[in-house]
Amino acid sequence: MSPSVTFSTLKLLVAILGTVAVVVAAVVVIGQAPAIMGVDDQPEATITFEDQTTNGTNVEIESVSLSDGGFVVITNSAGERVAVSEHLGAGSHENVTIEQNEDDSGDLLGQLTATVHQDTTGDGTYAFETSDGEEDRPYIENGYPVSDRASVTLTSNDTDIATDSFHVESIDVPSTATTNETVEIRAEIRNPTDVETRQHVDLRVDGEVRERSIVELEAEETSTVVFEIDTADLEPGDRTIGVYTTGHGALSVLAVAYDIEPSLEILEANESAAVVNASLPEDGFLTVENEDNALRGTSENLSAGDNENVTIEFDAEAGDETLYVVLYAGEPGGYDEETGFPDADPITIEGDRIEAAITSSDDELSED
């Protein structure tokens, strides 16, 4: 073989190898294109959880859709898990029944929240708590878990009520309370049977039995049963109060707030952000609004109690002469699309909302 032929062949080999390398690199880049170009779809979900009556051992989700599959987790108003669905495949599901298993505690009654979780481990087993929240996290929309709330009451069997169970005619619960008082709950209990009998009547808070009374009633007799709750044992927020007999019950909601004076102090501010200290009697958030109450910025969700060095970013608009920081109860994020006003209730003292005017400077905010 001549040297010229060998050199030509070598050049041809180098050209071929170069072409192969380019093709392989192109295939790799194309395969990674969605991730590189940021078009990888984020997991999405929706859920509808309607008010319902049940036998106390299961609930029904009207509809749920999960782009990547996962689970529906039911929690009570104290945030405790009371049930988890079986693994749900990707797509839409209707009339999903969720039953408690041996790992779940608490009652499937009261104000319940259904949250859609992903199956990040891909093994079909719910692992959010056991992984300390690292796996099977909730689907997120607009920065918040995809969820829905419903009031779940105990199904009454008319035959049982007529022959066996006392009937809860009504309950009287104060609408609000602070974490430093004793609240009285009154319930009208009727014996619909034709014989004198004794039965237990339970007071439940967020599904947990807090007190039990033995009541004796004559045939067709109605009596008032009085319970007392020490609110120091309750978490601030909406607490579900239920009075139950053997086969019947009634629910109400008690809004519990910290025994704390709401306050607001602006520590520093510039033209786009403010740092404040805020004391809230219940969970809430802060807004920045102009003199017409139009929304310019919203803080993250704040827990009841003292919150220090909270930063709120805002976008001032032309014509905004003065901006105010305002205290609100509830969750941030909602606003009236027509007016631009926050869709929540401001925290007030004697009817006046808690607010403070922003005095801005051009200085950078401190890093503390």
Side-chain angles (χ1 to χ4, degrees), residues 2 32 44 94 100 119 128-129 134 142 146 155-156 170 194 202 206 211 225 248 274 297 314 319 327 338 347 361:
S2 67
Q32 294 179 345
E44 296 181 348
E94 295 184 353
Q100 287 187 309
D119 180 19
F128 182 72
E129 281 90 8
E134 293 297 322
N142 296 328
V146 176
T155 302
S156 61
S170 64
D194 56 4
D202 294 342
D206 295 329
E211 191 174 341
V225 179
H248 196 260
F314 56 87
L327 289 183
E338 293 184 0
I347 297 174
S361 69

Side-chain angles (χ1 to χ4, degrees), residues 265-270 273-276 358-359 364-368:
E265 177 189 9
I266 298 179
L267 302 179
E268 54 182 327
N270 59 25
V275 179
V276 304
I358 293 177
T359 301
E364 292 292 330
L365 298 185
S366 65
E367 295 182 358
D368 185 6

Side-chain angles (χ1 to χ4, degrees), residues 162-181:
T163 59
D164 298 319
S165 175
F166 285 173
H167 195 171
V168 183
E169 296 286 278
S170 64
I171 60 173
D172 183 14
V173 180
S175 59
T176 61
T178 66
T179 54
N180 188 28
E181 60 182 294

Side-chain angles (χ1 to χ4, degrees), residues 75-214:
T75 54
N76 60 22
S77 54
E80 301 165 334
R81 191 192 85 188
V82 292
V84 180
S85 72
E86 295 181 352
H87 182 267
L88 302 173
S92 299
H93 306 264
E94 295 184 353
N95 302 322
V96 177
T97 299
I98 303 176
E99 298 186 356
Q100 287 187 309
N101 58 45
E102 59 184 13
D103 295 330
D104 299 321
S105 60
D107 294 324
L108 278 171
L109 296 168
Q111 292 289 328
L112 302 180
T113 300
T115 305
V116 191
H117 283 247
Q118 304 173 60
D119 180 19
T120 58
T121 62
D123 61 2
T125 302
Y126 179 68
F128 182 72
E129 281 90 8
T130 57
S131 66
D132 294 328
E134 293 297 322
E135 301 291 348
D136 297 348
R137 295 181 177 181
Y139 283 83
I140 300 297
E141 182 178 6
N142 296 328
Y144 295 93
V146 176
S147 62
D148 196 10
R149 298 182 66 186
S151 177
V152 178
T153 55
L154 190 66
T155 302
S156 61
N157 185 300
D158 293 338
T159 301
D160 290 341
I161 292 172
T163 59
D164 298 319
S165 175
F166 285 173
H167 195 171
V168 183
E169 296 286 278
S170 64
I171 60 173
D172 183 14
V173 180
S175 59
T176 61
T178 66
T179 54
N180 188 28
E181 60 182 294
T182 299
V183 173
E184 187 176 87
I185 311 297
R186 305 175 69 86
E188 295 295 319
I189 309 298
R190 179 173 64 89
N191 176 10
T193 72
D194 56 4
V195 295
E196 180 180 351
T197 186
R198 299 174 66 197
Q199 293 185 15
H200 64 78
V201 179
D202 294 342
L203 171 69
R204 300 185 184 186
V205 178
D206 295 329
E208 177 186 350
V209 177
R210 290 297 186 98
E211 191 174 341
R212 171 169 289 179
S213 179
I214 303 300

Side-chain angles (χ1 to χ4, degrees), residues 24 69 80 94 99 106 143 165 182 205 215 236 259 280 284 298 313 320 340:
V24 170
E80 301 165 334
E94 295 184 353
E99 298 186 356
S165 175
T182 299
V205 178
V215 179
D259 187 17
L280 292 81
T298 306
E313 297 181 350
D320 289 341

Side-chain angles (χ1 to χ4, degrees), residues 224-245:
T224 301
V225 179
V226 180
F227 298 100
E228 290 186 345
I229 300 176
D230 185 356
T231 57
D233 298 331
L234 303 182
E235 289 292 326
D238 289 343
R239 305 274 71 88
T240 301
I241 309 298
V243 175
Y244 293 90
T245 59

